[in-house]
Amino acid sequence: HHPSYHQISLSTMTNRLSVILLDIDGVLLPFGGDPENKEKSCSALFPDRTLAALNTILNHTDAVVVLSSTWRVRAEFRQQILQAFECYNEEFG
């Protein structure tokens, strides 16, 4: 007996993967700078408040982050983003 399509789709729905499609410009890096928070901890790239918001989402979900920004194209940009995330997590956990 082969499972029906309905049975297969129900079983795969219970194993969903949450994904955050993350853009950088306008999301982690506000357009026009960040007048509300000029303080940047160890991350020279992103304001603490944007990293804090992303961190809160990640701490409350089992989501994985997929970089959907043009920043994904260059290896040095991806490295800078990862370093900013690591630095924030070391400082604020």
Side-chain angles (χ1 to χ4, degrees), residues 64-80:
V64 295
V65 174
V66 174
L67 193 58
S68 65
S69 169
T70 55
W71 284 55
R72 73 184 181 279
V73 177
R74 296 186 57 180
E76 62 267 24
F77 292 167
R78 293 189 307 269
Q79 188 62 37
Q80 289 174 346

Side-chain angles (χ1 to χ4, degrees), residues 2 13 24 48 50 66 72 75 77 84 89:
H2 297 293
M13 285 176 52
I24 298 297
D48 288 345
T50 62
V66 174
R72 73 184 181 279
F77 292 167
N89 282 328

Side-chain angles (χ1 to χ4, degrees), residues 8-81:
I8 293 171
S9 65
L10 284 179
S11 67
T12 56
M13 285 176 52
T14 60
N15 296 322
R16 283 191 244 179
L17 175 65
S18 297
V19 177
I20 296 171
L21 300 175
L22 181 64
D23 193 10
I24 298 297
D25 295 318
V27 179
L28 284 185
L29 190 60
F31 291 121
D34 188 26
E36 293 179 30
N37 181 12
K38 295 185 189 294
E39 295 291 320
K40 294 179 182 174
S41 58
C42 57
S43 168
L45 271 183
F46 309 117
D48 288 345
R49 70 182 182 91
T50 62
L51 291 174
L54 177 61
N55 196 47
T56 298
I57 293 167
L58 292 174
N59 285 336
H60 288 90
T61 67
D62 290 327
V64 295
V65 174
V66 174
L67 193 58
S68 65
S69 169
T70 55
W71 284 55
R72 73 184 181 279
V73 177
R74 296 186 57 180
E76 62 267 24
F77 292 167
R78 293 189 307 269
Q79 188 62 37
Q80 289 174 346
I81 293 165

